[in-house]
Amino acid sequence: MRIARFTTGGEPTYGVITGDLDEYGQLSDDAVVAELQGDPLYAGITPTGREAKLSDVRLIAPVLPRSKVVAVGRNYAAHAAEMGSEVPEEPLLFMKPNTSVIGPGDAIAYPKQTEDLHYEGELAVVIGRICRDVPAAQATDVIFGYTIANDVTARDLQRKDVQFTRAKGFDTFCPLGPWIETDLDPQDFSDGRRLQTYLNGDLKQDGSTADLIFDIPTLVEHISSVMTLLPGDVILTGTPEGVGPMEVGDEVEVSIDGLGALTNKVEKRK
Ligand code: ZN
């Protein structure tokens, strides 16, 4: 299922999107969103019977983490190399505040404190159950689904601060979406799903999730051995090579085969 959150101007609600993806990962014009009552992450859901054309609604972030976004650094060897870094011996963790999350179509706000704002296209894992100390072999039991993220980073502040809290923690620095795909499993990504980032239509990142150094089950085991994971927590799995700067007015799109495309514009921070 493709689970989305959307609004038609009133309260956000969940829905299930039906329709085929075209070769660009976009949904066909006749795609429909069927409204759900309830919250799939915390309780049961039931269809309300109401439907809308996707073009008549606005998709918002498919999950608003109540607790945390845990991210993984240098999880693709070619990206570690372009950063002049070694591949870590175990997953390198950092966190982004849940207040950094925005949805598809929302603006990434360029802060005045940086002069080097980068995109990082990433596969995101959405946790569906409260859990800790999850063995890798049982990771699928606690995963709700998968979506796309842009781990927006102020690269100059990342270098200056050594640790990542400010550089990756500004409001709007975690676009998520466009929906959560619940029908895939970690092996689909280990087998290889193409991950691409376009800046103003130019291809900048062209990677494969097969190149993840630490795969999804390993990340779930590692992270849950450190901290309890809650429903709605999100894991960003790292970015392939090709990161680079964005400027005010740019449009950035991250696409992953089967997960659609996440598009955001960069605006000056008000
Ligand atoms: Zn990243």
Side-chain angles (χ1 to χ4, degrees), residues 26 42 89 113 137:
Q26 304 289 351
Y42 295 94
E89 285 178 17
Q113 295 95 325

Side-chain angles (χ1 to χ4, degrees), residues 80-94:
E82 76 178 347
M83 298 294 290
S85 303
E86 300 290 314
V87 170
E89 285 178 17
E90 53 184 351
L92 173 67
L93 305 184
F94 62 93

